[in-house]
Amino acid sequence: MAVFTGSGVALVTPFNEDGSVNYDQLKDLVEYHVAHKTDAIIICGTTGEASTMTEEEHIDVIAKCVEFVNKRIPVIAGSGSNCTETAVKLSKEAEAVGADALLVVTPYYNKATQNGLIKHYTTVAESVNIPIIMYNVPSRTGCNIQPATAVTLAKNVKNIVGIKEASGNISQVVKLAQLADGCIDIYSGNDDQVVPLLSLGGKGVISVTANIIPDDVHDMVQKYLDGDVAGSLALQLKSIELCDAMFCEVNPIPVKKAVELAGLCNGYMRMPMTEAEPASVEKIKKAMQDYGGIL
């Protein structure tokens, strides 16, 4: 059984001006997404700026999210690291505070061979009892999970059940789907490729854009799964300008500005993330205005 089907939001983490976590706004965001059809919350991922959190903050944010969600939808906690020992520790702690599943990114900077990835993910998975979704985003990590590697892991490690595919390489996803033959749940990690991945048997998306259009990202997936491919495609094409705007600077700079403009939470970030450039802000505003119903 899939961890979730539909739209999982890669949730931003609200901060105060002094850089501390704003838990009141985090609670508000959780309530917003539960009310607006989001099917799962991914907490402390890239979009949540987990890389700038201390380990204590990281686990506290996961624990608070679990508390706020209160089992209404799955909470998937980012627990990856380029150090296997650290990933194990974070994964165990996330499980202990109630996460329903884990999103584990490939080791970054130091990278890993394909055999290294198999050992890394196997070690992390065997340290916990909850499901793991692997996260393949080579543009950020410099490390690519090859389809054969993903399938080997899914077939040999019982709680490795899914992959967030953000390589942007549709041919690679085609090969993955062909080799997997249903043994691994595939989620789009790119908001502009949701429908293509659904056509390859994908279960949904882990979405940045869902931070501001949660209903439509959910509907995009649900319509496809219900057989309304034309309706799903229409939502995908409608969202392209907005998707482009959300990545006009490195994630999560644009989406943090977007949630601020939409009045959902503060836009404060932790360095080295900085304020969006004026030209980017105008692009984000225009995309939100053109989309309609956000500003």
Side-chain angles (χ1 to χ4, degrees):
M1 183 176 177
V3 174
F4 76 96
T5 300
S7 172
V9 63
L11 195 67
V12 298
T13 301
F15 296 119
N16 296 306
E17 191 171 5
D18 65 2
S20 59
V21 178
N22 188 319
Y23 287 107
D24 290 337
Q25 290 192 348
L26 179 61
K27 184 176 183 179
D28 290 343
L29 285 177
V30 166
E31 293 303 323
Y32 172 76
H33 282 284
V34 170
H36 287 270
K37 300 186 187 177
T38 291
D39 299 290
I41 289 179
I42 292 76
I43 192 75
C44 289
T46 304
T47 309
E49 297 175 78
S51 59
T52 61
M53 293 181 191
T54 65
E55 186 177 309
E56 182 180 16
E57 285 176 321
H58 191 136
I59 300 305
D60 283 348
V61 171
I62 294 169
K64 283 294 187 182
C65 184
V66 168
E67 176 189 333
F68 298 151
V69 170
N70 194 25
K71 301 189 181 300
R72 288 175 289 176
I73 56 177
V75 174
I76 302 165
S79 63
S81 173
N82 64 340
C83 170
T84 303
E85 184 179 350
T86 301
V88 166
K89 190 170 188 294
L90 287 171
S91 297
K92 286 181 174 180
E93 291 174 342
E95 180 180 30
V97 299
D100 297 294
L102 303 172
L103 182 68
V104 180
V105 72
T106 54
Y108 39 86
Y109 186 72
N110 52 3
K111 307 184 188 180
T113 64
Q114 296 302 300
N115 283 335
L117 288 174
I118 289 170
K119 291 181 179 179
H120 174 80
Y121 276 109
T122 300
T123 300
V124 174
E126 289 179 346
S127 74
V128 295
N129 296 303
I130 54 178
I132 286 178
I133 298 172
M134 299 179 290
Y135 180 15
N136 191 37
V137 58
S139 65
R140 292 190 84 115
T141 65
C143 186
N144 184 33
I145 307 176
Q146 295 292 341
T149 301
V151 171
T152 295
L153 283 161
K155 287 185 174 179
N156 290 286
V157 186
K158 66 179 181 179
N159 58 329
I160 292 180
V161 300
I163 186 167
K164 176 184 176 182
E165 239 303 333
S167 68
N169 184 342
I170 293 295
S171 294
Q172 176 167 305
V173 183
V174 170
K175 186 65 175 178
L176 171 62
Q178 184 259 326
L179 290 176
D181 194 25
C183 80
I184 189 167
D185 295 330
I186 303 172
Y187 298 95
S188 177
N190 293 315
D191 282 309
D192 60 352
Q193 295 181 348
V194 180
V195 170
L197 264 76
L198 290 172
S199 75
L200 295 168
K203 296 289 186 180
V205 59
I206 295 177
S207 169
V208 171
T209 310
N211 277 281
I212 52 173
I213 52 165
D215 299 84
D216 282 359
V217 179
H218 164 88
D219 288 350
M220 188 190 306
V221 178
Q222 195 59 53
K223 284 178 182 292
Y224 190 97
L225 298 177
D226 289 343
D228 183 7
V229 176
S232 176
L233 178 59
L235 286 171
Q236 174 79 92
L237 297 179
K238 179 184 177 183
S239 73
I240 293 302
E241 182 188 2
L242 198 59
C243 293
D244 289 346
M246 291 305 97
F247 293 92
C248 65
E249 291 188 31
V250 68
N251 181 46
I253 291 173
V255 73
K256 260 301 183 61
K257 177 54 67 175
V259 293
E260 179 186 16
L261 291 169
L264 296 172
C265 71
N266 292 330
Y268 299 122
M269 290 173 291
R270 288 183 172 179
M271 289 179 65
M273 296 293 101
T274 53
E275 274 285 311
E277 297 295 329
S280 298
V281 174
E282 291 308 309
K283 183 171 184 175
I284 294 162
K285 285 181 178 178
K286 181 179 183 301
M288 294 172 75
Q289 289 164 348
D290 289 350
Y291 194 87
I294 307 173
L295 291 179

